[in-house]
Amino acid sequence: GEFATLETQQTGRCLREYKAQLGRVPEWFEYHGAYAASQGFEGKLPPLVDGAEHVNLVWRVPLGVCGLITPWNHPLLIATKKISVALAAGNTVVLKPPLEAPLTCLILAELLKEAGVPDGVVQVVPGTGPAAGESLVQHPLVERVDFTGGTVTGLRIAKAMADVGKVKPYCAELGGNAPIVVFDDVASVEEAVNGVAFAGFVASGQTCVSGKRILVHKSIKAEFVERLVAKIGGLQVGDPMLLETDIGPLISRAQLLRVQGQVDRAVSEGAVALTGGRLPGPERCSLPGHFYEPTVLTNVTPENTAFAEEIFGPCVSVSEFETEEQAIELANKSRYGLGGAIWTANVRRAHRVARRMRCGVMWVNCHHRNDPSSPWGGFGDSGIGRENGPQAFEEFTTTQSLTIRTTDVAENWFGDRNARYG
């Protein structure tokens, strides 16, 4: 309760969301701790082509100091995702929490100390990106950088590391512009609408895998759009501390102006706002703050701002398709490739389409599902590397290889013209 309340006070996200989300935070410590203890550091004996005379031993070792930079939309959860695997892998960490929401990360560090983590193993250094963030990624003792945030910032971090000659592992979970493909064979249009509403508008649309580009089969588009507009038009906008509120404010005035500017540009390019597309009037929300009315846009072409850019706020666009091939083409028509979803009752179609969608994290008939055992990361401008699962453990460690010669036959390269080389 305390963590959820503090997260809402920091970010403006609805308290109901954090109450549902933060109860799962311990699972990341449990999973990565169990994986490290049971198999993470298991050595291997790779089969050699010339196994008669040599044995090769391979084991994993920690990297050292890891610099972690986390965003404001999931302050505690994403910090936990990174810290848990870094510690399980035997590293020390320096965390730069989000400037807008550092408090729960600071409390987490205190709790880890109370739990027995030695002094200095987990350090939290709040500050701005140019000051604390750049200093962290360029520090000579930092062996790995792990970042979650926008694509522009992710590129700046890579450049900052290159500018000081750092050749170090770098994981970046960056922007997204997730497609949701709704086929005409869904179990129910109403269920699909409810799923799309959750995908696109939870957290006021401020997550990297929020559903943004809704692609609907032509034969059900009219019914789908009618139901979606009614659903979104009925969402409660207001005080995020009230459990009945559906949509809270955006994180900052700057973010509000950015979203407003993108929607206005999309409309000027031909998009039509079926609901929203403006600041809420007093009849929708009488509170002051960085509120934006939940928005559904249609008449959107792939070149339109609403399709081509990630609008990090409560806004989705709806486009139509006629064939499965066209749906896949539209879904992949993006420089991003993080999240994506498919709504269909056809299991074969679900597998077939998922294989061809250029997304690192996908769902069928659901959205936003996340588990410490399941890899998380994207393609293209959505970043590099993976969080979660054994893949994350491997990224926070590296291998050492030892080859032992087992034969007693003497070797003399410069005295034996037939001596082996490799």
Side-chain angles (χ1 to χ4, degrees):
E2 176 188 350
F3 273 124
T5 298
L6 191 54
E7 292 283 63
T8 295
Q9 291 170 337
Q10 292 185 114
T11 68
R13 278 190 60 181
C14 292
L15 180 61
R16 179 189 168 207
E17 296 172 6
Y18 281 124
K19 281 181 172 291
Q21 180 189 81
L22 297 187
R24 298 196 60 209
V25 162
E27 295 176 21
W28 269 261
F29 288 104
E30 294 163 357
Y31 172 83
H32 289 299
Y35 182 82
S38 63
Q39 55 187 302
F41 289 105
E42 274 190 352
K44 295 182 179 179
L45 292 170
L48 302 179
V49 174
D50 182 15
E53 296 185 354
H54 297 83
V55 173
N56 182 217
L57 310 178
V58 179
W59 59 87
R60 304 199 73 85
V61 295
L63 296 174
V65 181
C66 297
L68 315 178
I69 302 177
T70 54
W72 47 258
N73 54 350
H74 305 279
L76 183 60
L77 175 64
I78 293 181
T80 297
K81 288 171 70 175
K82 298 182 189 303
I83 290 173
S84 58
V85 64
L87 295 184
N91 302 287
T92 59
V93 302
V94 179
L95 170 69
K96 192 202 89 64
L99 183 66
E100 302 86 348
L103 300 181
T104 48
C105 295
L106 290 163
I107 295 173
L108 174 62
E110 293 175 357
L111 292 176
L112 291 172
K113 182 177 180 179
E114 289 180 18
V117 175
D119 289 345
V121 171
V122 176
Q123 301 183 57
V124 180
V125 183
T128 64
E134 187 169 321
S135 298
L136 179 61
V137 304
Q138 292 184 331
H139 197 283
L141 293 182
V142 171
E143 292 292 330
R144 172 181 167 81
V145 173
D146 196 311
F147 168 73
T148 297
T151 298
V152 172
T153 305
L155 291 170
R156 286 178 186 157
I157 289 174
K159 183 178 184 301
M161 295 170 66
D163 285 345
V164 294
K166 286 185 74 73
V167 183
K168 301 295 181 184
Y170 176 40
C171 178
E173 197 261 82
L174 306 176
N177 194 7
I180 302 180
V181 182
V182 183
F183 286 99
D184 56 350
D185 59 3
V186 291
S188 110
V189 173
E190 182 181 10
E191 182 185 14
V193 165
N194 290 336
V196 167
F198 169 66
F201 293 92
V202 74
S204 297
Q206 299 174 109
T207 86
C208 52
V209 294
S210 291
K212 297 296 180 185
R213 298 177 294 131
I214 318 304
L215 313 175
V216 185
H217 192 274
K218 183 178 181 179
S219 66
I220 61 169
K221 184 188 174 189
E223 179 186 357
F224 182 93
V225 168
E226 181 181 359
R227 288 179 178 273
L228 181 64
V229 169
K231 179 82 175 181
I232 302 310
L235 297 180
Q236 298 297 310
V237 181
D239 184 353
M241 296 298 292
L242 301 178
L243 294 180
E244 60 265 28
T245 298
D246 300 309
I247 304 290
L250 301 186
I251 185 67
S252 66
R253 176 170 173 75
Q255 186 63 26
L256 174 63
L257 293 175
R258 187 176 298 114
V259 169
Q260 187 175 20
Q262 288 175 300
V263 174
D264 289 348
R265 193 159 69 251
V267 171
S268 72
E269 294 165 355
V272 176
L274 299 177
T275 186
R278 61 181 183 175
L279 303 181
E283 73 286 351
R284 189 82 184 265
C285 178
S286 59
L287 297 175
H290 311 309
F291 293 95
Y292 194 77
E293 194 165 326
T295 299
V296 177
L297 301 176
T298 190
N299 198 34
V300 171
T301 65
E303 294 72 35
N304 189 283
T305 294
F307 193 100
E309 296 182 9
E310 178 186 33
I311 300 180
F312 212 63
C315 177
V316 302
S317 67
V318 180
S319 305
E320 71 176 44
F321 66 89
E322 294 189 48
T323 66
E324 184 176 299
E325 190 68 28
Q326 186 184 14
I328 294 168
E329 181 181 349
L330 286 170
N332 289 339
K333 202 174 186 63
S334 174
R335 63 193 181 101
Y336 300 104
L338 185 55
I342 304 161
W343 282 82
T344 177
N346 187 322
V347 174
R348 286 179 292 182
R349 167 174 275 165
H351 277 274
R352 187 170 64 241
V353 174
R355 288 279 187 175
R356 296 184 60 194
M357 284 176 63
R358 191 77 171 162
C359 302
V361 183
M362 289 181 286
W363 301 276
V364 173
N365 300 332
C366 61
H367 210 97
H368 290 297
R369 300 298 194 269
N370 189 5
D371 191 89
S373 66
S374 181
W376 184 280
F379 294 95
D381 284 1
S382 288
I384 53 175
R386 292 293 183 267
E387 296 182 328
N388 294 349
Q391 291 82 356
F393 185 89
E394 292 188 359
E395 293 206 13
F396 276 94
T397 56
T398 192
T399 58
Q400 286 186 306
S401 172
L402 174 66
T403 299
I404 303 171
R405 185 167 65 94
T406 58
T407 178
D408 289 329
V409 177
E411 284 194 351
N412 183 0
W413 173 262
F414 292 106
D416 181 1
R417 293 302 171 183
N418 296 315
R420 67 176 292 163
Y421 179 84

